[in-house]
Amino acid sequence: MHVDLLIKHVCVRDDAPLVDIAIKDGRIAAMEPGIDASATEAIDAQGRAAIPGLIEAHLHLDKALLHRRLPARFGTLDEAIRVTGILKSRQEREDVLDRSRQVLDMAIKNGTVAVRAHPDVDLIQGLIGVETLLALKDEYQSLLDLQIVAFPQEGILKSAGTYELMIDALRMGADVVGGCPYNELNWQDTKRHIDIVFELAQRFDAPIDMHADFADDTSDQRFAAISYIAQRTIDTGYQGRVSLGHVTSLGALDNDALAPVIEQIRLAGISIVTLPATDLYLGGRKDVQNPRRGLTPVKALHNAGVNVAYSSNNVRNAFTPFGKADMLQIGNLLAHVAQFGVPEHQQAILDMGTHNAARAIGLSHDYGIAVGKQADLIILDTFKVADALLDIPPRLWVIKRGRITVVTQHHCEIHRHSCCCA
């Protein structure tokens, strides 16, 4: 047998022997110890661990790397939206392209093989975010899969003309209908916003990905919309095609109030994408004592069987002034704050950035390290899969559709000096 790429001596499971992975025509053709095949290219992993390619299920590229242009001073969601609105009004195509490329390159170097990006669609910046991403989707097609969400950050009813822009974005090639229902003026408009999102999704046969319930509590009903979204999902037959980002206000509910809501989410097949870097940074700002973590109840959702993923969300702007599009770094952060420390919980976090994220953006049918699957994987500079989140190791090789896309050379020396004291 001749293959395109042969990976020798790689660890894909810590409880199993090392295997070889044969890749042909962009797919995993065989995976077993001691494969006898010639290959156009070969990698000797020397026992290092491999994991499926990482997936950024929720990333803002058009607003990335704006952190020094108009720094936020208070760290609140309202301020972040206001500051970003000012900067959006100054957007220029080449600048958006340049900043987006910088973040995509960060993500690729860190082992990301797919991105669902959420460009703003509104009267402030028009369709520049969608237009630039459509260009980048072609430019980066050999490096990662790029999905585009038509995201109405400023609301739909509150911002007349946004509805028409969303239709234009979907006609141009946006893949997903976005929503931001809490950014309307009242609960009735929030519900109508959600209805419009589902109507557009059905019209274009597109999945849905909304920012929802992004608050510290549910005192304002606009931030307690998930039950309504879940019911609309079931009523429209959209189970498995809806993802929601943030959903932090769920964290304010006690167990008795939370349990039936989580059951609704599970029955609706909704994926929850937690965004810990942003949610931790913006959440609990008004709490004087015992400030809340501002995170969706990851453990309760996970234990109930809800598909939970995580992502970077923003990179260096008013919403999140940190980040480098590294899913292992964000996963490590999430494991700490969600208190997922035992081995099975650490594996669950790794799954949230890989298999669960693939499911959240509709890629799970062709994803994973298994025979017949698309060959999207990373070889890490560590020798156990379980150490991926602990070590946050260099990604030595990144493989996309069976082709090596990233090679990292990592060298470090410790110079030990013996004591010369008499």
Side-chain angles (χ1 to χ4, degrees):
M1 179 172 66
H2 181 83
V3 297
D4 301 318
L5 176 62
L6 182 61
I7 304 171
K8 303 285 288 184
H9 312 121
V10 65
C11 172
V12 296
R13 288 180 50 182
D14 293 342
D15 61 351
L18 301 181
V19 296
D20 299 343
I21 302 175
I23 297 169
K24 188 174 179 62
D25 297 328
R27 295 187 175 274
I28 298 174
M31 187 169 68
E32 59 190 55
I35 291 175
D36 183 14
S38 60
T40 304
E41 290 186 281
I43 294 170
D44 187 352
Q46 298 180 327
R48 290 179 174 83
I51 62 172
L54 296 160
I55 292 179
E56 288 273 14
H58 188 124
L59 193 62
H60 293 272
L61 296 172
D62 54 326
K63 297 185 287 194
L65 306 179
L66 293 173
H67 56 306
R68 293 197 174 99
R69 298 188 184 183
L70 186 61
R73 297 299 177 187
F74 303 105
T76 63
L77 175 60
D78 290 343
E79 182 194 32
I81 293 174
R82 180 181 60 79
V83 165
T84 305
I86 294 170
L87 292 171
K88 282 196 300 184
S89 69
R90 307 170 187 171
Q91 293 275 44
E92 296 179 358
R93 178 183 173 86
E94 290 306 314
D95 181 58
V96 175
L97 282 169
D98 177 62
R99 288 183 287 104
S100 298
R101 285 188 185 106
Q102 289 183 56
V103 177
L104 287 176
D105 287 353
M106 289 179 190
I108 291 163
K109 291 175 184 177
N110 289 323
T112 291
V113 297
V115 169
R116 177 175 278 185
H118 294 244
D120 287 15
V121 172
D122 54 46
L123 300 182
I124 301 174
Q125 72 172 28
L127 294 173
I128 190 172
V130 174
E131 293 165 353
T132 51
L133 279 173
L134 285 169
L136 293 172
K137 189 173 187 176
D138 290 336
E139 182 179 327
Y140 279 79
Q141 62 179 328
S142 66
L143 297 169
L144 51 71
D145 299 312
L146 183 58
Q147 296 181 2
I148 302 171
V149 181
F151 172 52
Q153 169 78 77
E154 308 298 329
I156 298 176
L157 285 85
K158 191 175 76 171
S159 179
T162 297
Y163 174 76
E164 289 76 16
L165 283 175
M166 291 182 70
I167 292 175
D168 289 343
L170 291 160
R171 285 175 174 164
M172 288 166 57
D175 307 285
V176 184
V177 181
C180 194
Y182 56 77
N183 201 1
E184 299 289 356
L185 296 176
N186 54 60
W187 171 235
Q188 291 304 315
D189 285 355
T190 290
K191 289 195 292 183
R192 182 59 191 141
H193 182 121
I194 294 164
D195 292 342
I196 289 170
V197 168
F198 276 93
E199 290 164 8
L200 284 174
Q202 290 176 297
R203 175 176 170 182
F204 287 90
D205 190 23
I208 290 169
D209 199 326
M210 287 188 277
H211 295 51
D213 293 3
F214 189 16
D216 289 332
D217 55 48
T218 58
S219 56
D220 184 332
Q221 198 168 8
R222 293 175 299 168
F223 299 92
I226 195 163
S227 291
Y228 186 79
I229 294 170
Q231 191 58 54
R232 290 293 290 140
T233 301
I234 294 169
D235 291 345
T236 55
Y238 251 62
Q239 294 96 323
R241 300 188 73 189
V242 177
S243 292
L244 301 178
H246 297 296
V247 202
T248 57
S249 57
L250 273 187
L253 302 180
D254 62 32
N255 289 337
D256 289 341
L258 181 62
V261 178
I262 289 181
E263 179 62 9
Q264 284 182 294
I265 297 169
R266 189 190 67 79
L267 290 173
I270 291 173
S271 292
I272 302 298
V273 184
T274 184
L275 306 165
T278 299
D279 298 344
L280 290 168
Y281 182 73
L282 295 178
R285 287 283 180 168
K286 297 178 182 178
D287 293 341
V288 178
Q289 287 185 314
N290 299 321
R292 282 165 280 203
R293 295 182 177 186
L295 201 69
T296 199
V298 171
K299 187 172 289 186
L301 290 162
H302 169 75
N303 289 344
V306 174
N307 186 55
V308 181
Y310 69 85
S311 195
S312 294
N313 189 38
N314 281 287
V315 176
R316 304 183 195 183
N317 61 19
F319 295 90
T320 317
F322 308 100
K324 57 177 185 176
D326 186 343
M327 285 287 288
L328 292 185
Q329 181 188 61
I330 298 296
N332 180 285
L333 172 66
L334 177 60
H336 279 81
V337 71
Q339 297 179 330
F340 265 43
V342 299
E344 58 269 28
H345 279 167
Q346 291 185 31
Q347 180 60 51
I349 295 290
L350 189 58
D351 288 342
M352 290 176 192
T354 53
H355 292 278
N356 295 18
R359 180 178 167 189
I361 67 170
L363 297 181
S364 58
H365 67 285
D366 211 18
Y367 179 85
I369 303 180
V371 173
K373 300 291 187 179
Q374 185 167 289
D376 294 353
L377 58 122
I378 316 163
I379 300 172
L380 305 170
D381 194 12
T382 194
F383 294 88
K384 288 186 179 295
V385 173
D387 287 342
L389 286 177
L390 281 67
D391 294 342
I392 314 182
R395 272 111 282 190
L396 296 184
W397 289 274
V398 180
I399 292 122
K400 177 63 182 173
R401 296 192 195 93
R403 177 177 165 269
I404 298 171
T405 54
V406 176
V407 177
T408 300
Q409 295 180 338
H410 178 71
H411 182 72
C412 177
E413 290 185 10
I414 298 175
H415 291 257
R416 302 185 187 277
H417 301 280
S418 59
C419 179
C420 298
C421 300

